[in-house]
Amino acid sequence: RSSRLVRHVHFGGAPGHGPSYSGPLTAMPKSGHGTPTGRRLRNRSESDLRGNTTEEDTDLADDPPNSEQESNEARKVAQNNEGGEKLLSKVKMKKMTIRAVMGVSMMVTFGGIIYLGHLYLCTLVFALQCFIFSELVGVRKRQAAEKRLPLFRSIQWAWFFVASFFTWSGSICDFVASDPRFLSSHSTARLILEKNMMVSFSLYTLLLMVSVLSLRKGLYKYQITQYTWTVVTICIVVFQTQAVFHLIYAGLFWFVLPSSLVICNDIMAYYCGQVFGKKLIKRRFLELSPNKTWEGFLGSAFFTMLFAFWFSRHLCGYKWMTCAPEHITFTVSPLSCEPDQMYRPQSIAQILYETMPRLHTAEVLAGSVPMLKALGELEICQAQIHALSLGFFASFAAPFGGFLSSAIKRAYGIKDFNNLIPGHGGMMDRFDCQFVMFLCTFVHIRTFCQAPVTIEMVLASAAKLSLNEKQALVNKLQDQLTSR
């Protein structure tokens, strides 16, 4: 019967915009699964049997034309449809304008919270964690199943808050351990912070029991997969950002710089892709994100490295960025400190001599070759070198956090995680690359910028000793000094 079926189609644009064709088109024969329509029908029928959602169902498929003839016909229709091209151009410009306006608004808001201080910034990060966790667990939500599972969503959120308490309380306890006001207090908050490991373990054990008791017959598979996805989401949202408190209170420099590098890379990838995309390199960049291009990826890396070198030097000039606060407070007050050596300008020869004395690189730059001597006398901050390292990571590794988000969206047939931010989507769509960037920054400063043991850490540990133990410690330190 299908071989005799006739359909009427219409090619072309609106009246007055080029030629058009209206006439019969014979239907696809039974063996026509090689055409795009046949493939879509076959895939859709198979997906119906499996109960899954395919990319075709969600308009995410990116099938190329089946033949050169189809490609030429599509090209002719596009060329003749001038009105459609103008409309497409206006829609694209409107979309870029909305994206730019909302991007600037978010950056201004971000700058205002940075001005308020460190604790406000920590509050913002925790709020973002809550939003993103909600978006991620929501992609697997099935209302029909959860109506039969009382408190199931509450248990998911309980796992999130227990994980957040474990990470944030440990970081806060490490910071306030050397604060005399904290050591002299006898409040419940001090008890909870000092015993945060035991409190976290107790909450974890309780939740484990409640989660097992909540399993219902006939829904075991669904509940277990939901709990598994909850654990994965917590790893992405909570454990990758467990060091954010350390970064903020080590100096806003180490929070603002990596965040700005990811923002710069994202912006430049978008505009480099729009301007140069698929003009120099025709090969597809990534199957997960068909709109991503090699020009956008490499162009954004170039501009991110330049931005890292310039912006880090700019931040080094502000004590608000380089000074570490001594207390946790909501009070907005200026910081005053002697900037660390890495934030002060030095000659390249001096930096090389301090960091790599055995390589004799400084002597080479101070030699008789005029060009090398001029290079050695050039003054930069050590922080700029660290910024270049972070910029390299933000350009070539952090974007894979965004590619993971693209994979999740394709797997569940959604375009964005939310429509909270016009032109950008949800919070996860904007901060998907920031998580791994924060983790990289924490590892970097712990490895290259901070001493493994500081005087403050020793004093904080000594404060927990008894009087006799403190006296014994002093005696041993005196013995070590006299033996040298």
Side-chain angles (χ1 to χ4, degrees), residues 116-425:
L116 290 176
H118 302 70
L119 192 53
Y120 291 92
L121 201 53
C122 290
T123 305
L124 171 66
V125 172
F126 180 70
L128 291 175
Q129 285 180 319
C130 295
F131 273 110
I132 294 170
F133 179 80
S134 175
E135 292 175 352
L136 283 175
V137 297
V139 299
R140 290 183 56 87
K141 188 175 181 181
R142 290 185 186 176
Q143 295 288 352
E146 293 182 6
K147 287 179 180 178
R148 300 167 55 189
L149 299 173
L151 299 180
F152 185 78
R153 302 292 288 181
S154 301
I155 294 175
Q156 284 186 309
W157 277 100
W159 279 110
F160 168 75
F161 285 119
V162 169
S164 299
F165 173 80
F166 174 72
T167 56
W168 285 95
S169 63
S171 301
I172 295 173
C173 185
D174 292 340
F175 180 80
V176 300
S178 58
D179 191 344
R181 295 184 302 176
F182 176 76
L183 296 175
S184 61
S185 65
H186 299 280
S187 61
T188 305
R190 177 190 172 182
L191 179 62
I192 293 175
L193 288 176
E194 286 185 340
K195 308 299 181 183
N196 68 87
M197 185 72 71
M198 187 63 197
V199 173
S200 300
F201 177 73
S202 301
L203 293 173
Y204 166 80
T205 305
L206 178 63
L207 262 181
L208 178 63
M209 296 168 60
V210 173
S211 300
V212 173
L213 292 174
S214 68
L215 297 176
R216 294 291 181 267
K217 186 177 180 179
L219 296 172
Y220 294 148
K221 184 176 180 180
Y222 172 70
Q223 288 182 278
I224 292 300
T225 54
Q226 284 289 78
Y227 283 140
T228 304
W229 178 243
T230 302
V231 173
V232 172
T233 303
I234 289 174
C235 290
I236 295 173
V237 178
V238 179
F239 291 123
Q240 283 194 116
T241 56
Q242 62 179 321
V244 168
F245 182 88
H246 291 289
L247 298 181
I248 293 174
Y249 277 85
L252 288 176
F253 178 92
W254 297 109
F255 182 87
V256 174
L257 177 65
S259 302
S260 302
L261 293 179
V262 171
I263 294 172
C264 173
N265 185 262
D266 187 46
I267 293 173
M268 297 313 300
Y270 178 77
Y271 286 103
C272 287
Q274 290 291 325
V275 177
F276 305 107
K278 296 183 180 179
K279 294 181 180 179
L280 303 177
I281 304 176
K282 302 296 183 182
R283 185 176 180 179
R284 175 174 289 184
F285 174 67
L286 194 66
E287 292 292 338
L288 287 174
S289 300
N291 293 329
K292 300 288 192 301
T293 62
W294 282 102
E295 291 85 352
F297 184 73
L298 298 177
S300 64
F302 173 76
F303 286 106
T304 300
M305 297 295 287
L306 290 180
F307 178 78
F309 190 78
W310 169 79
F311 190 59
S312 58
R313 178 64 179 267
H314 181 69
L315 293 178
C316 287
Y318 296 93
K319 290 185 177 181
W320 186 245
M321 291 288 144
T322 58
C323 292
E326 298 179 355
H327 308 292
I328 299 177
T329 176
F330 280 108
T331 304
V332 180
S333 59
L335 296 177
S336 179
C337 68
E338 184 66 25
D340 192 83
Q341 185 65 39
M342 74 168 66
Y343 304 119
R344 288 180 282 181
Q346 293 177 279
S347 65
I348 295 180
Q350 181 66 23
I351 293 175
L352 293 175
Y353 177 77
E354 293 178 356
T355 55
M356 298 178 292
R358 296 182 179 180
L359 296 182
H360 304 287
T361 312
E363 288 81 353
V364 175
L365 292 178
S368 57
V369 180
M371 185 177 295
L372 292 179
K373 188 175 181 180
L375 179 63
E377 294 175 352
L378 183 65
E379 288 191 345
I380 62 172
C381 299
Q382 290 186 31
Q384 291 179 271
I385 301 176
H386 296 297
L388 289 176
S389 176
L390 296 177
F392 184 84
F393 186 89
S395 300
F396 295 101
F400 281 83
F403 302 152
L404 175 61
S405 296
S406 298
I408 295 172
K409 288 187 286 187
R410 278 190 167 267
Y412 292 101
I414 56 176
K415 184 177 184 295
D416 293 316
F417 287 98
N418 206 332
N419 57 357
L420 186 64
I421 311 172
H424 293 266

